[in-house]
Amino acid sequence: MNEALTAALNAEIHPEAAALAGDGYDIRRAELDRLWARGRAFLGTELAIMGGAMTWVSERNLVAAISNAGGFGVIASGSMSPELLDQEIAATSALTQRPFGVNLITMHPQLLELIDVCIGRGLGHVVLAGGIPSTAAIQRIRNGGARVLCFTPALVLGKRLVRMGADAIVIEGSEAGGHIGPVSTAVLAQEVLPHLKEVPVFVAGGIGRGEAILSYLEMGASGVQLGTRFVCAHESIAHARFKRAFIRASARDAMPSVQLDARFPVIPVRALANPATERFREVQRGIIERFNNGELSQKDAQLEIEHFWAGALRRAVLDGDIETGSLMAGQSVGLVSREQSTAAILDELVDQALAAIAGRGRRYSGPVPEPSPTRRNAGA
Ligand SMILES: Cc1cc2nc3c(=O)[nH]c(=O)nc-3n(C[C@H](O)[C@H](O)[C@H](O)COP(=O)(O)O)c2cc1C
């Protein structure tokens, strides 16, 4: 199909876009905007791309940069106290007039106070992460006038969260960086997107290029969430050594944490393999041996295992300790090849999505194939 025919077809489908047509950019852009209209309206942004909250990385600078560039930045509150969160929101508001959100961890002991801080600051969106939120938490956010986004690792829970009051759902596959579930983004998207239409659904995990964004939008997503891709933004305060590790890494270096013994569960976290990864195996081995010899109770053994990674992400992100720190990263780290401005990253993603839309016309330009014998037979 040549460019003129593509334009003519587009004109038929999108007369309003055709009116704007120059080199076809406006038509493609109108198509992208149609695909993610629900996500844009929900977030109040130009692009339905959320910057996934990353503890220690997603602070005022990166969050404001993402929002200023048309995306939706999200503060990672991690283990922040209500006072610290209040300061972070105020500082972010000073850097951007655009909408941004806050990610709260459901098991934080002061969750309700943190919610009140978000409401008090007039925030429009709160993301509840790290476990199934209570109805009380969801309703407190809604009653305060903000919208609630919840994560789901499966369709059934997604439906339940919507009944509990979630205004939007994020599905995050196991390709993602940080804490992960067992199911890949590709499968989760097929499980959830065709069947969860009540609220906008955002897809996260393993997205590093615009073509992937387009494909999830075409499957019914309202928008996407990316984390790993933003770590090496100029505006990200991550230490130069942390960024360099990302730039050097390939997808296969981002591995889930290893559990040695089913009696001692390890929370699955995807991170770049480093000396700490190997050390974690040795430490687990030693602890399990001490438990087997009766030197440790099961509870103490479990606590020692959990303690291993305490403070490790902070050490890596802020201090640049890439040997003993935790280099949480998704598999899309293989697509991170240099430091760029946040605006350039978002532009690149949008351009790739637009190029994919343009390429669609070209892909269908060949002669219409004869139906295959199998299909003919099936039809007979
Ligand atoms: C370094 C790092 C820290 C993260 N910290 C959090 C967090 O505190 N809360 C959260 O909900 N998700 C966290 N995530 C997940 C991101 O918000 C996002 O959903 C994920 O990175 C998307 O997948 P991607 O890495 O393939 O882009 C983290 C991810 C990374 C890479």
Side-chain angles (χ1 to χ4, degrees):
M1 197 184 302
N2 64 30
E3 198 70 30
L5 188 50
T6 310
L9 274 178
N10 276 325
E12 210 168 282
I13 304 164
H14 305 295
E16 71 290 355
L20 298 169
D23 61 351
Y25 173 90
D26 296 317
I27 295 174
R28 295 193 286 273
R29 187 58 199 248
E31 171 68 354
L32 181 60
D33 285 346
R34 183 186 68 78
L35 284 165
W36 64 16
R38 197 179 183 193
R40 290 174 65 208
F42 178 80
L43 299 170
T45 52
E46 185 193 327
L47 317 171
I49 300 178
M50 296 170 64
M54 296 178 282
T55 297
W56 303 115
V57 182
S58 301
E59 46 72 80
R60 62 194 76 173
N61 293 291
L62 181 60
V63 172
I66 291 173
S67 290
N68 283 335
F72 187 83
V74 182
I75 295 175
S77 67
S79 57
M80 277 183 200
S81 65
E83 295 71 30
L84 267 183
L85 177 62
D86 192 50
Q87 288 167 23
E88 201 57 41
I89 297 174
T92 308
S93 299
L95 296 174
T96 183
Q97 306 292 314
R98 307 252 181 114
F100 64 90
V102 166
N103 175 296
L104 300 177
I105 307 293
T106 51
M107 58 259 208
H108 193 297
Q110 290 176 291
L111 178 64
L112 297 184
E113 287 97 313
L114 293 168
I115 290 174
D116 292 345
V117 166
C118 296
I119 302 300
R121 284 279 170 194
L123 227 75
H125 302 74
V126 176
V127 184
L128 291 176
I132 304 172
S134 65
T135 307
I138 293 176
Q139 290 309 329
R140 199 174 180 105
I141 297 168
R142 297 189 58 159
N143 292 341
R147 291 161 169 198
V148 191
L149 295 91
C150 298
F151 284 86
T152 184
L155 176 63
V156 186
L157 181 59
K159 292 263 183 196
R160 200 172 114 206
L161 288 164
V162 171
R163 285 196 300 275
M164 286 162 70
D167 295 293
I169 293 292
V170 183
I171 54 172
E172 185 184 64
S174 56
E175 298 94 320
H179 294 85
I180 50 169
V183 181
S184 69
T185 306
V187 171
L188 205 49
Q190 293 171 79
E191 178 185 330
V192 175
L193 293 175
H195 305 293
L196 210 160
K197 304 284 184 193
E198 300 90 321
V199 298
V201 179
F202 294 84
V203 175
I207 301 176
R209 289 186 56 102
E211 295 89 341
I213 296 177
L214 181 69
S215 71
Y216 288 122
L217 294 177
E218 289 183 321
M219 287 173 70
S222 294
V224 291
Q225 168 165 301
L226 282 70
T228 298
R229 195 71 169 75
F230 289 114
V231 167
C232 293
H234 288 315
E235 295 87 347
S236 148
I237 61 156
H239 195 281
R241 280 195 288 271
F242 192 82
K243 289 184 178 176
R244 217 173 299 133
F246 269 53
I247 290 166
R248 285 184 183 150
S250 54
R252 66 177 59 202
D253 299 322
M255 299 289 288
S257 45
V258 173
Q259 170 183 310
L260 292 189
D261 190 319
R263 293 171 299 175
F264 298 102
V266 168
I267 298 169
V269 169
R270 188 177 293 283
L272 298 182
N274 68 350
T277 320
E278 193 42 49
R279 177 97 191 98
F280 183 50
R281 269 185 242 251
E282 287 162 18
V283 166
Q284 280 187 83
R285 236 175 259 128
I287 293 171
I288 292 163
E289 207 173 293
R290 279 158 62 212
F291 168 76
N292 287 338
N293 293 339
E295 294 165 39
L296 271 180
S297 72
Q298 179 143 8
K299 189 170 165 231
D300 287 344
Q302 182 68 42
L303 279 176
E304 269 200 39
I305 289 173
E306 282 168 18
H307 185 71
F308 180 84
W309 291 111
L313 182 60
R314 185 184 198 283
R315 275 205 305 281
V317 173
L318 298 186
D319 308 337
D321 178 355
I322 57 167
E323 303 284 316
T324 79
S326 165
L327 304 177
M328 286 186 193
Q331 291 181 329
S332 59
V333 73
L335 304 168
V336 177
S337 55
R338 62 193 187 284
E339 265 196 71
Q340 288 171 285
S341 72
T342 302
I345 294 170
L346 287 167
D347 280 351
E348 203 172 278
L349 293 168
V350 170
D351 286 349
Q352 288 161 350
L354 295 176
I357 291 173
R360 245 179 351 199
R362 283 196 288 278
R363 266 202 306 283
Y364 298 126
S365 64
V368 179
E370 279 289 301
S372 68
T374 332
R375 283 186 56 197
R376 251 201 308 262
N377 291 345

